[in-house]
């Protein structure tokens, strides 16, 4: 086993698409962990979705043996973290397992919103930071400007930043030498009581849950009995080891090392990220700080297009939840769509990833309801309710007041887009704006926004109004009072529960107009008029009508008295009225999908 002074634990942090996974690939290749034949780009990204989108969704770890210029062989433990804001808690636990980070900045794009957010996260954990400027091979690269931004925006020494091209393998050895020389070795006593931090877990169909750990204090060996300090569960260790190209079993893990433990844990949900592992017989005095339960913030119901596919959907969600402890699901039903599941997600990207995996890995066709957030509702008799499903919204006469979650959004962009971005934020009920100029021509705009206004299509609109140059990061700041209402959509005077949503009263009419217009365009015409209405309680706030097919019943009347024609028309009118009372309006699946599409282009 390596000595502690020859271990370096580090992570790579960056804004999305600044070359984090590509740099990890080059480090893996130079250290010779994988043969050239077995190597593939984005080596640590196991999901096909990660490869297609160029993002990291699941945290990974790998041990890199590196012989430095001083002749010593070092074990570099790279903990690869997700880059997206949805997974910020996982990132914080991964950073807690490190002593230092590589902060990657794109030479053509410079410092962006998540670069700052990740820097502050690293500073909170008191980590050593090595700035790296990537993509110097691009024609648009401006290395000196990137150095200046690192100095002025981040407060680091831009002149010390290592200029590299991960894609073209330029100057990568300098990064490895910087890791060895500038990052401290881990501290911890292998003779102390065991404290091991869980920073991730994944499911192996043959072995159960593989738990990713960083040993802070003590030693862990196979055969020992361990306890999870927050969940109070106890297990017997079957295997411990390090991460190479594949898992490598070892006789023990000691303080300072990053590795894995297999202990017959049947379900990933039983291992909470941030929990502390200790020995059953000689437990540590207290768990490691910083543990919080991961709570979903975005909710949506998932239904199969064909009701016959419900058993397959239930099976698929069970399998996904084996690997994704942050996904929550409860059975749900709808009069229009049948049986489905009400699911909770960490954010909109998490929702998209789950939807795409269900559709592609399990071959399912799905319908998702409008994403919503969890509201707090206080009733007149002092009771507090948490509601994210419109079906459970109580009678408005019993409600004292409602609260909704707010976020603080940080938006970085070139100065010329400030007007259009402020307009977008104010349209979404933004308040308490704050503006700083980290460098000439660049603005960091801070806004407090309701989360419900952001999850719908805010990020798409931000990218549109800033022509792709705006970058966005946020954190949740708590709940505030709001004027909430349940918007119902009625088709032929019948409520369609799958289209109900909880909205702010100011936004109710535009949302209702959008829904009735989309339904009018997609529901096929019948033999009778169909009224499509948006309503809050008994108040109709939007309406559209689908005209009826009309047979010309007077065509056979040529000449004769007008009363004969009128008699035929009255007979037709009575028939249509009777048909409307008993007629059933079939709503096609494309109508539900159309309502969910963005309405701000109209």
């Amino acid at each position: 086993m390596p000595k502690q002074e020859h271990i370096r634990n580090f992570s790579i942090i960056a804004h999305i698409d600044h070359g984090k996974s590509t740099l990890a690939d080059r480090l893996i290749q130079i250290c010779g962990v994988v043969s050239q034949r077995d190597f593939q780009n984005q080596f640590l990204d196991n999901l096909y979705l990660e490869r297609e989108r160029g993002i990291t969704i699941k945290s990974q770890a790998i041990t890199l043996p590196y012989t430095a210029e001083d002749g010593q062989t070092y074990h570099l433990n790279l903990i690869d973290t997700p880059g997206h804001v949805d997974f910020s808690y996982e990132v914080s636990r991964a950073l807690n397992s490190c002593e230092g980070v590589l902060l990657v900045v794109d030479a053509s794009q410079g410092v962006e919103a998540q670069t700052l957010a990740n820097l502050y996260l690293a500073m909170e954990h008191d980590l050593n930071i090595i700035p790296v400027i990537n993509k110097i091979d691009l024609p648009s690269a401006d290395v000196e400007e990137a150095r200046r931004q690192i100095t002025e925006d981040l407060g680091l020494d831009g002149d010390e930043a290592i200029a590299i091209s991960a894609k073209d393998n330029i100057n990568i050895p300098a990064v490895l030498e910087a890791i060895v020389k500038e990052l401290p070795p881990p501290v911890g006593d292998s003779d102390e009581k065991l404290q091991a931090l869980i920073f991730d877990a994944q499911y192996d169909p043959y072995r159960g849950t593989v738990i990713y750990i960083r040993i802070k204090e003590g030693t862990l060996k196979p055969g020992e009995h361990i306890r999870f300090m927050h969940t109070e569960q106890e297990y017997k260790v079957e295997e411990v080891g390090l991460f190479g190209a594949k898992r490598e079993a070892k006789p023990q893990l000691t303080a300072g090392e990053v590795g894995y433990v297999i202990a017959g844990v049947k379900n990933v949900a039983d291992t909470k990220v941030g929990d502390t592992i200790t020995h059953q017989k000689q437990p540590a005095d207290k768990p490691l700080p910083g543990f919080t339960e991961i709570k979903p913030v975005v909710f949506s119901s998932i239904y199969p297009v064909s009701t016959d596919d419900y058993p397959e959907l239930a099976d698929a969600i069970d399998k996904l939840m084996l690997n994704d402890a942050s996904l929550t699901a409860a059975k749900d039903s709808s009069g229009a769509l049948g049986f489905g599941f009400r699911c909770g997600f960490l954010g909109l990207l998490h929702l998209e990833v789950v939807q795409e995996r269900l559709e592609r890995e399990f071959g399912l066709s799905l319908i998702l309801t409008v994403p919503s957030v969890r509201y707090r509702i206080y009733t007149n008799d002092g009771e507090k309710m948490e509601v994210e499903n419109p079906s459970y919204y109580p009678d408005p006469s019993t409600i004292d007041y409602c609260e909704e979650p707010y976020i603080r959004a940080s938006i970085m962009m070139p100065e010329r887009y400030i007007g259009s971005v402020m307009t977008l934020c104010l349209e979404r009920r933004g308040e308490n704006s704050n503006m700083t100029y980290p460098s000439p021509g660049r603005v960091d705009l801070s806004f407090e926004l309701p989360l419900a206004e952001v999850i719908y299509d805010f990020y798409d609109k931000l990218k549109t109004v800033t022509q792709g140059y705006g970058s966005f990061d946020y954190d949740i700041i708590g709940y505030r009072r709001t004027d909430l209402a349940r918007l119902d959509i009625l088709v032929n005077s019948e409520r369609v529960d799958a289209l109900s949503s909880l909205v702010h009263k100011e936004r109710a009419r535009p949302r209702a107009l959008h829904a009735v217009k989309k339904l009018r365009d997609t529901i096929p015409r019948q033999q009778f008029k169909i009224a499509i209405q948006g309503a809050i309680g008994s108040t109709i706030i939007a309406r559209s009508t689908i005209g009826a097919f009309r047979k010309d019943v007077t065509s056979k009347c040529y000449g004769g008295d007008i009363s004969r024609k009128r008699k035929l028309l009255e007979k037709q009118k009575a028939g249509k009225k009777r048909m409307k009372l008993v007629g059933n309006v079939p709503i096609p699946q494309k109508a539900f999908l159309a309502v969910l599409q963005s309405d701000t282009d109209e």
Side-chain angles (χ1 to χ4, degrees):
M1 304 298 283
K3 294 178 183 175
Q4 240 183 23
E5 60 265 26
H6 291 157
I7 296 174
R8 299 290 185 273
N9 299 321
F10 73 101
S11 184
I12 306 174
I13 56 176
H15 189 78
I16 296 165
D17 202 30
H18 279 205
K20 189 158 64 78
S21 296
T22 314
L23 175 56
D25 286 350
R26 295 295 87 77
L27 298 178
I28 290 166
Q29 280 184 303
I30 286 180
C31 293
V33 176
V34 186
S35 66
Q36 201 56 43
R37 186 180 69 179
D38 295 334
F39 182 78
Q40 55 182 342
N41 285 335
Q42 289 174 260
F43 183 78
L44 292 178
D45 294 343
N46 298 332
L47 276 175
Y48 58 86
L49 273 176
E50 295 180 307
R51 297 177 183 285
E52 282 178 15
R53 292 186 173 212
I55 56 174
T56 301
I57 296 166
K58 197 90 180 82
S59 182
Q60 298 290 339
I62 191 165
T63 301
L64 310 173
Y66 171 64
T67 305
E69 290 174 358
D70 60 9
Q72 299 287 340
T73 299
Y74 292 85
H75 278 69
L76 313 181
N77 292 314
L78 164 58
I79 299 168
D80 190 27
T81 59
H84 199 274
V85 65
D86 284 5
F87 309 106
S88 56
Y89 174 66
E90 286 180 39
V91 175
S92 77
R93 294 302 87 208
L95 292 182
N96 206 16
S97 308
C98 302
E99 277 73 45
V101 293
L102 300 178
L103 181 70
V104 180
V105 176
D106 188 326
S108 62
Q109 295 180 47
V111 171
E112 298 200 61
Q114 253 173 285
T115 319
L116 274 170
N118 286 325
L119 172 77
Y120 296 147
L121 209 54
M123 285 177 165
E124 276 176 34
H125 291 90
D126 202 21
L127 302 180
N128 287 35
I129 299 162
I130 301 173
V132 175
I133 298 171
N134 192 19
K135 303 191 184 182
I136 61 171
D137 57 302
L138 292 178
S140 58
D142 188 343
V143 177
E144 291 311 309
E145 173 62 18
R147 287 189 193 281
R148 190 181 63 73
Q149 286 183 17
I150 288 170
T151 304
E152 294 179 7
D153 299 6
L154 305 181
L156 304 173
D157 188 350
D159 296 331
E160 294 290 317
I162 306 164
I164 65 163
S165 168
K167 184 182 169 190
D168 289 353
N169 208 357
I170 298 169
N171 210 20
I172 304 297
V175 176
L176 287 164
E177 282 300 316
I179 292 167
V180 169
K181 289 174 184 170
E182 295 182 33
L183 299 187
V187 292
D189 188 346
S190 54
D191 298 324
E192 282 284 323
K193 292 176 181 175
L194 175 67
Q195 278 185 316
L197 173 72
I198 299 175
F199 65 87
D200 202 7
Q202 80 180 76
Y203 186 73
D204 183 310
Y206 303 104
R207 305 296 303 273
T209 302
V210 180
I211 306 165
Y212 293 35
I213 57 168
R214 155 72 198 272
I215 309 273
K216 295 279 189 179
E217 302 282 352
T219 303
L220 184 61
K221 298 176 184 174
E224 294 180 330
H225 290 269
I226 56 170
R227 190 167 95 226
F228 295 171
M229 296 188 79
H230 284 283
T231 60
E232 296 291 324
Q233 291 174 325
E234 296 178 355
Y235 299 96
K236 183 181 177 182
V237 177
E238 295 173 12
E239 180 181 309
V240 298
L242 301 175
F243 296 101
K246 296 186 173 75
R247 294 196 298 268
E248 298 170 8
K250 297 289 178 185
Q252 64 178 31
L253 288 178
T254 58
E257 290 191 297
V258 172
Y260 68 90
V261 56
I262 297 173
V265 183
K266 298 285 189 294
N267 208 322
V268 170
D270 296 335
T271 59
K272 307 285 188 189
V273 172
D275 203 346
T276 306
I277 293 177
T278 190
H279 283 133
Q280 182 186 330
K281 289 181 180 169
Q282 289 183 303
D285 301 331
K286 58 181 181 179
L288 295 164
F291 173 78
T292 56
E293 286 274 358
I294 299 179
K295 289 187 178 146
V297 293
V298 174
F299 299 86
S300 179
S301 292
I302 299 178
Y303 299 96
V305 167
S306 166
T307 50
D308 296 341
D309 289 341
Y310 175 75
E312 285 85 347
L313 175 62
D315 188 41
I317 285 179
D318 281 346
K319 286 178 179 170
L320 268 192
M321 287 173 72
L322 280 175
N323 244 325
D324 188 351
S326 53
L327 172 66
T328 64
K331 288 180 180 176
D332 195 15
S333 65
S334 153
L337 298 173
F339 291 103
F341 290 88
R342 185 73 178 174
C343 296
F345 307 91
L346 296 177
L348 223 53
L349 175 78
H350 190 207
L351 184 153
E352 281 179 41
V353 167
V354 169
Q355 179 189 359
E356 206 158 334
R357 289 189 70 182
L358 287 171
E359 288 177 345
R360 289 170 58 172
E361 290 179 27
F362 301 98
L364 296 166
S365 297
L366 304 174
I367 292 175
L368 275 77
T369 60
V370 181
S372 70
V373 298
R374 182 171 276 160
Y375 296 95
R376 288 179 182 165
I377 296 170
Y378 296 84
T379 59
N380 292 325
D381 54 8
E383 189 186 344
K384 174 185 162 187
M385 303 169 64
E386 291 200 337
V387 173
E388 83 277 336
N389 191 335
S391 305
Y392 302 133
Y393 187 70
D395 181 353
S397 63
T398 66
I399 295 172
D400 182 15
Y401 66 95
C402 304
E403 290 182 340
E404 66 176 328
Y406 264 70
I407 63 164
R408 182 175 291 107
S410 170
I411 303 164
M412 285 193 83
M413 64 201 155
E415 195 176 13
R416 61 184 177 275
Y417 300 116
I418 195 162
S420 51
V421 171
M422 286 192 82
T423 304
L424 174 67
C425 291
L426 291 169
E427 280 174 1
R428 302 302 173 97
R429 299 190 282 128
E431 53 192 60
N432 296 344
S433 65
N434 188 20
M435 213 182 304
T436 55
Y437 287 81
S439 60
R442 286 171 67 78
V443 181
D444 185 358
L445 184 64
S446 172
F447 253 101
E448 291 175 7
L449 293 153
L451 180 61
E453 299 288 346
V454 174
I455 60 171
Y456 196 47
D457 59 354
F458 180 81
Y459 191 59
D460 290 347
K461 291 288 160 273
L462 176 69
K463 284 293 181 188
T464 302
V465 299
T466 60
Q467 297 176 322
Y469 287 103
S471 61
F472 172 66
D473 191 75
Y474 71 85
D475 37 39
I476 293 172
I477 56 174
Y479 279 75
R480 294 184 189 175
R481 279 203 183 205
T482 185
D483 198 3
L484 196 63
R486 187 176 81 180
L487 172 64
D488 292 322
I489 304 298
L490 311 175
V491 176
N492 200 23
S493 302
E494 287 189 18
R495 186 166 74 87
V496 183
D497 55 352
L499 295 177
S500 295
S501 57
L502 296 174
V503 293
H504 190 268
K505 280 185 180 169
E506 280 179 16
R507 308 282 291 171
R509 180 161 160 77
R511 194 70 68 85
L513 285 169
H514 163 71
V516 298
K517 179 180 179 297
K518 290 287 188 185
L519 289 173
R520 185 194 68 204
D521 295 341
T522 48
I523 293 177
R525 289 170 71 190
Q526 304 292 322
Q527 295 286 356
F528 51 90
K529 276 186 183 177
I530 304 170
I532 302 170
Q533 298 161 311
I536 294 176
S538 58
T539 308
I540 305 299
I541 59 170
R543 172 177 173 134
S544 193
T545 305
I546 300 174
F549 285 125
R550 183 173 174 275
K551 183 181 175 185
D552 189 0
V553 290
T554 60
S555 61
K556 58 181 180 251
C557 298
Y558 43 93
D561 190 47
I562 186 67
S563 60
R564 190 161 165 234
K565 289 184 180 179
R566 191 167 288 136
K567 183 181 170 186
L568 288 167
L569 289 169
E570 290 296 329
K571 190 177 174 185
Q572 182 190 40
K573 188 176 174 184
K576 285 187 180 294
K577 190 174 181 182
R578 191 167 61 252
M579 198 184 288
K580 184 173 183 178
L581 291 174
V582 298
N584 179 31
V585 181
I587 303 176
Q589 306 295 358
K590 64 178 181 179
F592 290 101
L593 300 174
V595 172
L596 299 184
Q597 287 167 358
S598 167
D599 60 340
T600 44
D601 293 331
E602 275 132 48

